[in-house]
Amino acid sequence: MMLEIRNLHASVDGREILKGLDLSVRAGEVHAIMGPNGAGKSTLAYVLAGREGYEVTAGSVTFDGTDLLSMAPHERAAAGLFLGHQYPVEIPGVSNLLFLRTAINAQRKERGEPEISGADFMKRVRTEAAALGLDMEMLKRGVNVGFSGGEKKRNEAFQLAMLEPRLAILDESDSGLDIDALKVVAGGINRFMGPERAVLLITHYQRLLDHVRPTHVHVLMDGRIVESGGPELALRLESEGYERHAA
Amino acid sequence: MSLPETLREEVRNPEAAAAVEALSTYRWGFTSDVEQEFAPKGLSEETVRFISAKKGEPEWMLEWRLRAFRLWQQMEPPQWAKLSIPPIDYQDAYYYAAPKTKPALKSLDELDPEIRRTYEKLGIPLEEQKVLAGVEGARRVAVDAVFDSVSVATTFREELKKVGVIFLSISEAIREHPELVRRHLGSVVPVRDNYFACLNSAVFSDGTFVLVPKGVRCPMELSTYFRINAENTGQFERTLIVAEEGSYVSYLEGCTAPMRDENQLHAAVVELIAETDAEIKYSTVQNWYPGDREGKGGIYNFVTKRALCRGARSKVSWTQVETGSAITWKYPSCVLMGEESVGEFYSVAVTNNFQQADTGTKMIHLGARTRSRIISKGISAGRSNNSYRGLVRIGPSATGARNFTQCDSLLLGDRCGAHTIPYIEVRNPSAQVEHEATTSKISEDQKFYAMSRGLPEEEAVALIVNGFCREVLQTLPMEFAVEAQKLLGISLEGSVG
């Protein structure tokens, strides 16, 4: 089991958001977590990535059998966990390329691997940027500085490709995208996916799932998974909404 | 002189990781074991005479010093800065210390091996190391190495001589070019300018003299490393750079100092003179020992730096990266006398733990259509206090003068202080003066974003801070940019978590 979440309770500012969440993800699987606003979707993403202020009050999470919750955020990244942010932040004065290369090397250092060579890095940058339609001039600018919403999301997909994690947690990767950009981002996710990897897609809408085929779909309501199923569940939610799950 | 963007990135990337190698203590705290020849302890006319005699100075120089000393005795230390300075016992210090190796060496290879080791430990394998190793194609940097108070070696002197550039220790210059030194010394920073400059004028031990003749573009960057080495030895460096008509020179100054418990006083004076169409670029990375985490020890850095843009269209750029010293009192300034002359001040000042910095600039616009640009980035962490103090003065004759000032402060934690104290005096209605200032705390969102990509917290902070300072760092020559970036990371260690 790659990711095993058991009875996870988490609070933000003393308010309990996750109330006993269970989820198991195996390599090769794509799980979609769907649910209305305020159900705890983003909280789940932040808790898994280790954001400060998201306090786990009960339960356990293991990643490849290791206790994820005892690891610092950067250790989780080095172990192969990636968070695609819903709102990617801007870091002025730090170019996207510098940021990415620093991140890759920090992860490698954490794993006891040698640094990536400048040539290898640039070669991979060119390949992945081309696939996502990001131009090099943009990547030389500050991290996400002056990027449109769509460009930010494509940049997240670009970082996903470059960092090569094993588990990608993608928080609303589709929000703010027009249909063309959505296809590009979905293409990035599909290229990333493989038998040794897994994706946790956190999404509000069905439309991303038209392009990224999930193996599992879960409904998150009020801090718990209330229903799980296959792709057909997403379609049903699209037509019926979340009302039937409301207590 | 600025490098292509991509090249800069290439150089910086590997250094970014190195910048945050965990180092919990001051890395460069060590003492080098070279025999010292001290002046008697304390400050008196005798001390001044000792220093002057030790250097074999001409009579006029001794008189100049003595006059300064007598003036200094009647002066009071400045109190206006936002600094808390413990009383300094000027009698409880040595004013002269010099290594016993003599005479002047042809190259650094002939240097006392102990001194060489000191430089190596300083981790200054900048371009100089390549140059010393004879690496082909290495960028050339001439080093006038000031070890404690005396210049022990000067490289590239011959090559500079070919184009007529004079690059000497100030002591040598006083002996070899007395008329030049006499004409310019104290012409930008008068002896009685301020308490510390006056003290320096009396007891300055060594420093650098540069003269770039008319029309000459100095073929290499000139570099001096200052280093305080003897216990209780104040450093009183004196630098004088003259750029004649149409010439250009870039000068790099970097400092590190060994760890000491005693507070040490450093009161340097730097004077720059730019004639018509001349340009001087002066870059500093200052990393004197800042004191320990409890605020014990550390250097007092009370520096007077001023440039006179005397000629039309002359230009002076100051860039400073100030990460060290317990107390910094420093305002590199430009007097813009020549028409259309340009003054620039780019500054990064970092304070952590109990450090205090009161630093900024003065842009004095006298000539018509003179322009100045001030970019200041202050970073405060721990329980430190960091003030930007800047004066922009537009004189009545400075028709069409322009100034742009931008002061950004970044706070790390909630026990530190950032202060911006601008003084704007405009006496000509055609002038245009802009001032922008921001103060912000380092963003948790930015930090988490970087950490979620694999950067440990301190490295994430260092990266964000480097981005915050980018506008200033990119004005540094490349060797310095790399070192400065490392220093930012190192000086902010322990400021998070």
Side-chain angles (χ1 to χ4, degrees):
Chain A
M1 196 65 66
M2 184 186 283
L3 182 73
E4 183 102 61
I5 304 175
R6 284 200 182 141
N7 188 35
L8 184 64
H9 291 253
S11 303
V12 182
D13 293 329
R15 197 164 66 91
E16 186 166 66
I17 308 287
L18 300 183
K19 302 167 179 176
L21 188 145
D22 295 281
L23 183 68
S24 302
V25 179
R26 288 186 181 79
E29 295 178 348
V30 176
H31 289 242
I33 311 269
M34 305 184 71
N37 288 328
K41 301 193 299 293
S42 288
T43 298
L44 174 62
Y46 283 147
V47 166
L48 293 177
R51 179 156 198 172
E52 208 175 296
Y54 289 76
E55 197 194 347
V56 175
T57 51
S60 67
V61 181
T62 58
F63 182 53
D64 288 331
T66 328
D67 177 14
L68 186 74
L69 299 176
S70 68
M71 296 161 80
H74 72 274
E75 294 167 341
R76 300 181 193 198
L81 185 145
F82 176 92
L83 172 62
H85 292 250
Q86 184 178 1
Y87 305 108
V89 300
E90 300 186 0
I91 307 180
V94 178
S95 79
N96 286 283
L97 292 182
L98 171 65
F99 178 72
L100 198 47
R101 186 159 161 192
T102 307
I104 288 173
N105 284 331
Q107 289 198 15
R108 286 181 170 223
K109 189 176 168 190
E110 183 71 29
R111 295 193 294 257
E113 296 165 10
E115 291 197 343
I116 190 167
S117 78
D120 286 351
F121 176 75
M122 287 313 295
K123 205 168 128 189
R124 295 204 41 225
V125 163
R126 285 194 194 92
T127 311
E128 301 299 345
L132 288 159
L134 287 166
D135 81 81
M136 291 299 288
E137 285 313 307
M138 248 173 85
L139 296 176
K140 288 175 188 166
R141 297 212 305 258
V143 174
N144 292 319
V145 174
F147 285 23
S148 68
E151 285 168 340
K152 286 181 180 174
K153 291 298 166 72
R154 273 191 279 163
N155 195 22
E156 292 295 291
F158 173 63
Q159 293 181 31
L160 170 67
M162 290 294 296
L163 290 165
E164 302 184 288
R166 296 191 53 239
L167 172 64
I169 301 159
L170 305 175
D171 190 4
E172 306 277 0
S173 292
D174 50 340
S175 66
L177 296 183
D178 60 31
I179 186 66
D180 293 329
L182 180 73
K183 282 181 182 165
V184 171
V185 169
I189 299 168
N190 288 329
R191 260 198 318 282
F192 163 78
M193 219 13 233
E196 297 305 315
R197 291 169 163 176
V199 171
L200 205 56
L201 275 180
I202 292 173
T203 181
H204 199 79
Y205 301 107
Q206 153 70 26
R207 60 177 204 153
L208 179 62
L209 307 183
D210 292 339
H211 304 279
V212 181
R213 185 93 180 141
T215 54
H216 301 69
V217 175
H218 309 275
V219 180
L220 179 61
M221 294 281 283
D222 193 27
R224 285 187 205 90
I225 302 282
V226 293
E227 188 176 358
S228 299
E232 73 291 344
L233 176 56
L235 293 168
R236 201 190 78 210
L237 288 166
E238 184 73 2
S239 57
E240 295 178 9
Y242 299 107
E243 276 78 18
R244 60 179 278 176
H245 296 99
Chain B
M1 293 301 289
S2 75
L3 287 144
E5 189 66 16
T6 44
L7 183 52
R8 279 186 173 273
E9 293 295 5
E10 285 303 306
V11 170
R12 285 184 192 192
N13 285 336
E15 299 302 335
V20 257
E21 273 177 5
L23 290 163
S24 59
T25 52
Y26 186 67
R27 174 157 61 153
W28 297 321
F30 51 84
T31 308
S32 165
D33 202 10
V34 177
E35 279 183 76
Q36 300 277 351
E37 214 177 305
F38 294 105
K41 202 174 191 180
L43 184 52
S44 64
E45 283 204 11
E46 287 314 300
T47 319
V48 177
R49 287 177 193 279
F50 176 93
I51 294 168
S52 189
K54 201 81 193 162
K55 298 185 158 299
E57 287 177 354
E59 186 63 21
W60 64 265
M61 194 65 242
L62 173 63
E63 287 307 320
W64 199 85
R65 288 177 179 274
L66 288 172
R67 178 171 158 264
F69 177 67
R70 288 167 198 145
L71 286 167
W72 178 76
Q73 284 178 303
Q74 295 158 27
M75 293 174 84
E76 294 291 331
Q79 302 291 344
W80 42 260
K82 193 174 169 50
L83 298 171
S84 158
I85 305 171
I88 298 166
D89 183 354
Y90 291 92
Q91 298 307 328
D92 188 32
Y94 292 97
Y95 289 83
Y96 181 81
K100 275 182 173 170
T101 43
K102 300 287 172 311
L105 306 170
K106 286 198 187 67
S107 78
L108 279 173
D109 293 332
E110 297 174 30
L111 206 55
D112 185 318
E114 179 69 17
I115 296 176
R116 285 291 300 279
R117 267 195 294 278
T118 302
Y119 283 125
E120 276 158 28
K121 272 194 274 186
L122 281 173
I124 309 177
L126 303 168
E127 287 301 302
E128 287 90 325
Q129 296 287 339
K130 280 195 214 158
V131 171
L132 290 173
V135 174
E136 214 165 317
R139 191 139 167 259
R140 286 174 304 176
V141 179
V143 185
D144 175 20
V146 178
F147 187 81
D148 261 82
S149 309
V150 172
S151 281
V152 285
T154 302
T155 56
F156 288 106
R157 195 178 295 180
E158 287 309 308
E159 190 160 347
L160 290 168
K161 217 173 183 175
K162 270 186 225 158
V163 290
V165 173
I166 302 172
F167 180 42
L168 296 171
S169 75
I170 195 116
S171 307
E172 289 170 307
I174 289 166
R175 288 194 296 270
E176 293 177 26
H177 303 279
E179 72 298 336
L180 276 176
V181 177
R182 196 171 184 179
R183 190 190 319 156
H184 295 295
L185 193 72
S187 69
V188 184
V189 179
V191 163
R192 67 173 83 195
D193 187 82
N194 69 72
Y195 188 78
F196 300 114
C198 193
L199 175 63
N200 174 288
S201 299
V203 300
F204 72 84
S205 39
D206 217 327
T208 305
F209 176 77
V210 178
L211 184 129
V212 189
K214 188 172 171 179
V216 170
R217 191 177 172 88
C218 189
M220 62 193 74
E221 272 155 355
L222 304 179
S223 164
T224 303
Y225 287 97
F226 296 111
R227 180 168 171 76
I228 293 179
N229 198 264
E231 198 164 1
N232 285 334
T233 304
Q235 284 269 301
F236 301 96
E237 305 296 339
R238 189 91 197 187
T239 302
L240 177 57
I241 299 176
V242 181
E244 291 187 345
E245 193 179 328
S247 67
Y248 170 85
V249 63
S250 168
Y251 187 86
L252 322 179
E253 172 200 71
C255 337
T256 58
M259 189 181 291
R260 285 291 177 196
D261 277 341
E262 296 294 316
N263 286 309
Q264 292 178 306
L265 176 62
H266 182 245
V269 172
V270 176
E271 296 177 281
L272 311 182
I273 299 164
E275 303 290 4
T276 305
D277 292 314
E279 181 178 350
I280 302 174
K281 188 174 162 63
Y282 193 105
S283 311
T284 304
V285 171
Q286 186 270 115
N287 185 33
W288 303 107
Y289 178 53
D292 66 16
R293 279 166 194 228
E294 276 71 51
K296 190 162 180 273
I299 302 295
Y300 295 175
N301 193 28
F302 302 152
V303 182
T304 305
K305 290 184 170 179
R306 194 174 304 151
L308 177 60
C309 289
R310 186 149 57 195
R313 297 170 304 279
S314 56
K315 179 179 177 183
V316 168
S317 293
W318 297 101
T319 298
Q320 62 173 23
V321 175
E322 303 278 324
T323 60
S325 296
I327 306 177
T328 299
W329 180 95
K330 181 182 173 189
Y331 315 90
S333 303
C334 296
V335 178
L336 302 169
M337 198 171 165
E339 286 187 2
E340 293 174 37
S341 58
V342 177
E344 294 178 335
F345 175 73
Y346 296 98
S347 171
V348 169
V350 181
T351 54
N352 195 1
N353 299 317
F354 286 86
Q355 281 177 279
Q356 307 176 63
D358 192 300
T359 184
T361 184
K362 288 188 276 187
M363 291 293 174
I364 314 290
H365 292 254
L366 302 176
R369 297 176 304 284
T370 45
R371 282 177 292 142
S372 63
R373 182 178 170 83
I374 299 170
I375 308 288
S376 164
K377 306 281 181 177
I379 299 118
S380 325
R383 305 180 68 161
S384 69
N385 258 303
N386 199 329
S387 305
Y388 166 81
R389 185 184 304 275
L391 167 68
V392 176
R393 177 182 289 157
I394 312 283
S397 55
T399 304
R402 297 185 66 159
N403 160 263
F404 174 77
T405 300
Q406 186 184 324
C407 294
D408 297 319
S409 302
L410 188 65
L411 297 164
L412 277 69
D414 50 14
R415 289 181 303 172
C416 51
H419 318 274
T420 301
I421 308 153
Y423 304 76
I424 299 173
E425 301 172 11
V426 179
R427 294 195 179 79
N428 185 309
S430 67
Q432 205 176 317
V433 176
E434 292 173 71
H435 182 94
E436 292 178 7
T438 66
T439 302
S440 52
K441 285 191 76 169
I442 195 160
S443 140
E444 290 301 318
D445 287 342
Q446 287 178 336
K447 234 166 74 176
F448 175 65
Y449 189 70
M451 287 160 72
S452 76
R453 292 293 175 261
L455 275 71
E457 189 172 12
E458 287 200 336
E459 193 168 341
V461 169
L463 192 74
I464 294 163
V465 167
N466 268 300
F468 174 75
C469 300
R470 181 181 174 80
E471 225 180 322
V472 172
L473 296 180
Q474 67 190 5
T475 68
L476 285 171
M478 192 166 59
E479 305 88 320
F480 258 26
V482 168
E483 184 162 312
Q485 189 164 346
K486 275 189 198 175
L487 280 178
L488 290 185
I490 290 168
S491 33
L492 290 170
E493 275 164 14
S495 65
V496 294

